[in-house]
Amino acid sequence: MSTAKTTYDDRALAAEPIERDTRALLGQVMGLVAVAVGFAALGAYLGRDLSGATGLVAFIGAFACIFGLNFAAAKGREQLAIGLLFGLGLLLGLAVAPVIADYAKADPSALWQAAGATAAFVAACGAYGYVTRRDLSSWARTLFWALLGLIAFGIVAIFVSIPNSHIIYAVAGLGIFGAFTIFDFNRLRRASPNGAIAIAASIFLDIFNVFLLLLELFGGQRD
C-alpha cells in the first residue's frame, strides 16, 4: 500500500510543474496578444486619414511580418519575432484605419458593440479550446480549405450581385474564425514555450478578423 501511495504522490508532484508551465505559457501568449491588439488600436488611430492605397501597402507589409515572425521564431530569434508581431499589429491597424474611421463617423456605437462582442466571442471559443481534452490538430486541413472558400466567396461577391452577401460572408467568417480560435487555444494548451510567439500571432489574427466581421454585422454594409 505504501508503494502505491508513493507512486500517486510522485505523479501528482510531476503534474504540478507541468500545470504551472502551461499557465505561464498561457499568460505569456495572452500578454503578447494584448500588446499586439494595443498596437493595432494605435495604428487605427494614427492612420485614420490615410488613403486606401496606403492601406494596401500596409496590408502587404503585414503579410511580410507574418512570414518574418514565423521564420524568426523557427530560428530562435525571439526578440525579432516579438518585434515583428507588434509590427504586424501596427500595420494591420494602419491598413483598416480608414474603414474604422468611416464607422466611427457613421455609427460610433457599432465599434463598441463589435469590441464587446469580440471579447465575449473569443473568450467563449478560447475557453472551450483550452479546456477540452481532445486534440484538435486534425481540424487544420479543414479550416485551411474553409478559409480559402471564404476568400473565394468574398472575391466573387465583389463582381457578382448576391443578395445579403455581406451578411453571409460575415456569419460564415465568424463560424470559421470561431473554429480557428478554438483550434489555436487548443494548440496553446499543448504547445512548448518555443511556439509562444507564433501562437500569439495566430490568436491575434483570430481576434482581428472576428472584430472586423462583427463590425460588418453591427455597422451594416460599407464599401
Side-chain angles (χ1 to χ4, degrees), residues 92-109:
L92 285 179
L94 291 170
V96 301
V99 177
I100 300 298
D102 179 47
Y103 278 104
K105 292 177 183 177
D107 187 8
S109 64

Side-chain angles (χ1 to χ4, degrees), residues 84-188:
L84 289 170
L85 172 62
F86 297 159
L88 170 65
L90 182 65
L91 287 170
L92 285 179
L94 291 170
V96 301
V99 177
I100 300 298
D102 179 47
Y103 278 104
K105 292 177 183 177
D107 187 8
S109 64
L111 292 173
W112 300 111
Q113 291 171 351
T118 297
F121 185 88
V122 171
C125 293
Y128 173 76
Y130 191 78
V131 302
T132 183
R133 295 182 179 275
R134 294 175 56 198
D135 182 356
L136 304 180
S137 57
S138 61
W139 288 20
R141 183 184 297 273
T142 301
L143 289 174
F144 172 76
W145 287 108
L147 181 58
L148 287 184
L150 181 68
I151 294 171
F153 176 82
I155 294 173
V156 170
I158 294 174
F159 302 101
V160 179
S161 179
I162 302 174
N164 298 317
S165 60
H166 66 290
I167 296 178
I168 296 171
Y169 181 88
V171 172
L174 286 172
I176 292 170
F177 281 102
F180 264 115
T181 303
I182 294 171
F183 173 77
D184 287 327
F185 274 89
N186 188 257
R187 279 202 303 152
L188 172 57

